[in-house]
């Protein structure tokens, strides 16, 4: 079995393609995962879909067959030509797949290097796949280490210092346009994480914000969190607000545009629309008074921010490489530890049976049973010492899996091997602790 990632990001696809590929609807995501995991080529899978990327991470039997299946399913769900998908996709296998996953988790592959939002998005993607039965032991192990890698990089570098995100970059762009946004009234459409981050940066810059959202309760909660310079209102008043505010941010989870040309009135002042949603929320025609910035339009200001992080990024990439190597050694150690336990259990089981036979046949007195048991135990302990040491050292050997499978077969301990493999992913432990 192999790890594989198929990646569509701001690096290889524009926003028009990404919004067609996006999985903003959980039911569509569930159906897609069901379709690919029902094949004989893919045993586990998860999907990460954000404003800057769509990633499919799998545990697969055969790379080529799994790749063809995933791209075919993406073609069917998005309507994008299969050849275009094949040409655009970045595909990573085995060590490359894990290295890419760790880079994504550590925000090194983000549009905004150092942003912290990606860890939460990745965890949500994993939990969705896990709770729906698509992510199991192998993806759980990889995600456990991905979060460990991200935490290590946050603690070892300054890459996430002065946190930035797509939302903060959009606010920075607004400040660049106006010089100052103090006391300017800004509208935020949506009450999710992107909207919350945009609101925090707007309020911190002195702007007064109004939150409108389909759920009035969620809009109120966000306004309360942002403080006295924030208010909220009903989504039914959207047209009214976009025709009186100069700055409009939109970040809903809608699969269709929420701001359209028919809602606009002619005004004598400039309006700046920041669409930080994927799929895009805003479908209006730019004019000399209407200016629209989507995620990909923020690239220039992002580059200014990432320049100061390049040195820290190099340090972080070195850590990702180290953690990738460490992960595979850890995976192999997870295999050797239970097999050593299984071997010892088997030896103890055989010894106990032979002692009972010896007593039954009169070769051994029942009163000597304990002494005989101690002697046999020492014999098997000495006999298994070297195999145990060698099995533990397999973490550095590429042939580890083949050796372990051979040992399982030779000693007929496949069932005990499974019994002694106690590994649980980080998320399972969290769930168990809640019960």
């Amino acid at each position: 079995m192999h790890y594989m990632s198929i990646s569509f990001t701001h690096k290889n696809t524009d926003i028009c393609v990404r919004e067609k590929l996006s999985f903003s609807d959980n039911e569509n995501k569930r159906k897609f995962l069901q379709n690919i995991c029902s094949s004989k080529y893919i045993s586990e899978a998860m999907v990460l879909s954000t404003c800057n990327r769509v990633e499919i991470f799998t545990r697969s039997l055969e790379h080529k067959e799994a790749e063809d299946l995933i791209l075919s399913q993406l073609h069917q769900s998005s309507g994008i030509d299969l050849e275009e998908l094949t040409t655009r996709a970045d595909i990573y296998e085995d060590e490359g797949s894990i290295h890419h996953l760790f880079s994504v988790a550590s925000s090194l592959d983000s549009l905004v290097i150092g942003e912290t939002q990606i860890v939460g998005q990745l965890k949500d993607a994993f939990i969705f796949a896990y709770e729906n039965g698509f992510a199991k032991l192998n993806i759980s192990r990889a995600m456990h280490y991905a979060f460990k890698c991200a935490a290590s990089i946050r603690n070892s570098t300054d890459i996430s210092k002065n946190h930035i995100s797509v939302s903060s970059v959009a606010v920075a762009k607004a400040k660049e346009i106006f010089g100052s946004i103090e006391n300017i009234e800004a509208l935020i459409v949506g009450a999710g994480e992107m909207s919350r981050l945009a609101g925090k940066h707007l309020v911190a810059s002195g702007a007064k914000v109004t939150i409108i959202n389909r759920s009035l309760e969620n809009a109120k909660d966000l306004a309360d969190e942002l403080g006295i310079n924030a208010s909220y209102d009903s989504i039914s008043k959207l047209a009214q607000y976009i025709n009186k505010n100069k700055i409009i941010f939109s970040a809903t989870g809608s699969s269709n545009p929420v701001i359209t040309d028919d809602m606009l009135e002619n005004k004598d002042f400039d309006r700046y629309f920041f669409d930080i949603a994927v799929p895009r929320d805003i479908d209006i025609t730019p004019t000399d008074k209407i200016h629209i910035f989507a995620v990909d339009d923020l690239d220039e200001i992002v580059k200014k921010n990432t320049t100061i992080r390049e040195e820290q990024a190099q340090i972080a990439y070195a850590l990702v490489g180290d953690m990738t190597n460490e992960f595979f050694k850890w995976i192999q150690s997870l295999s050797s530890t239970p097999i050593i336990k299984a071997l010892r259990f088997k030896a103890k089981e055989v010894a106990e049976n032979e002692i009972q036979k010896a007593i039954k046949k009169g070769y051994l007195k029942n009163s000597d049973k304990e002494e005989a048991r101690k002697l046999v135990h020492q014999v098997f302990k000495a006999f298994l010492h070297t195999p145990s040491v060698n099995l533990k050292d397999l973490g550095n050997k590429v042939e580890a899996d083949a050796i372990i499978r051979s040992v399982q077969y030779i000693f007929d301990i496949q069932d005990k091997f499974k019994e002694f493999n106690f590994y649980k992913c980080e998320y399972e432990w969290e769930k168990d602790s809640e019960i």
Side-chain angles (χ1 to χ4, degrees), residues 348 351-352 354-356 358-359 364-379:
K348 182 180 179 181
E352 187 63 28
E354 293 305 313
I355 289 171
Q356 293 302 326
I359 293 172
L364 182 67
K365 294 179 180 179
N366 193 59
S367 59
D368 296 329
K369 180 172 63 175
E370 286 306 313
E371 292 302 315
R373 184 176 286 140
K374 290 178 183 178
L375 175 61
V376 173
H377 176 75
Q378 288 301 319
V379 170

Side-chain angles (χ1 to χ4, degrees), residues 65-267:
E65 286 80 357
E67 175 189 327
D68 290 345
L69 172 64
I70 291 168
L71 291 175
S72 175
Q73 289 294 322
L74 286 174
H75 160 65
Q76 292 180 36
S77 62
S78 69
I80 300 172
D81 184 75
L82 184 58
E83 184 178 351
E84 181 179 1
L85 289 173
T86 303
T87 302
R88 288 182 180 274
D90 286 331
I91 299 172
Y92 306 90
E93 301 173 357
D94 294 321
E95 286 84 356
S97 176
I98 294 298
H99 189 280
H100 177 66
L101 173 66
F102 290 3
S103 298
V104 170
S106 304
S107 83
L108 296 174
D109 197 62
S110 296
L111 175 65
V112 182
I113 294 176
E115 57 98 357
T116 55
Q117 196 176 359
I118 187 65
V119 174
Q121 293 168 331
L122 193 57
K123 188 168 187 178
D124 289 343
F126 166 61
I127 290 173
F128 179 86
Y130 184 89
E131 293 191 334
N132 283 277
F134 304 118
K136 301 173 186 175
L137 179 65
N138 293 292
I139 285 183
S140 295
R141 286 173 167 174
M143 294 305 300
H144 169 87
Y145 237 77
F147 296 133
K148 181 179 178 180
C149 180
S152 177
I153 286 173
R154 281 198 307 274
N155 295 331
S156 304
T157 71
D158 291 331
I159 198 166
S160 297
K161 193 175 182 180
N162 300 321
H163 296 170
I164 55 176
S165 62
V166 171
S167 297
S168 67
V169 169
V171 174
K173 185 65 178 178
K175 290 165 71 175
E176 182 183 288
I177 291 167
F178 285 90
S180 170
I181 57 174
E182 190 168 359
N183 293 320
I184 287 183
E185 293 184 359
L187 175 69
I188 299 176
V189 186
E193 181 63 12
M194 298 285 278
S195 297
R196 187 182 73 83
L197 291 171
K200 286 179 66 176
H201 288 286
L202 285 166
V203 169
S205 299
K208 297 179 179 179
V209 300
T210 301
I211 315 294
I212 61 172
N213 189 58
R214 293 190 186 282
S215 166
L216 197 62
E217 182 180 354
N218 290 348
K220 179 183 183 301
D221 289 344
L222 180 54
D224 289 344
E225 180 184 343
L226 295 176
I228 59 172
N229 283 331
S231 59
Y232 67 97
D233 212 333
S234 168
I235 192 72
S236 62
K237 296 183 180 179
L238 175 59
Q240 176 183 327
Y241 279 101
I242 65 172
N243 286 303
K244 75 173 186 177
N245 286 76
K246 294 181 180 180
I247 301 176
I248 299 97
F249 284 78
S250 191
T252 75
S254 174
S255 55
N256 297 307
V258 296
I259 299 175
T260 53
D261 276 327
D262 60 303
M263 302 169 68
L264 292 177
E265 299 172 4
N266 291 326
K267 298 293 179 180

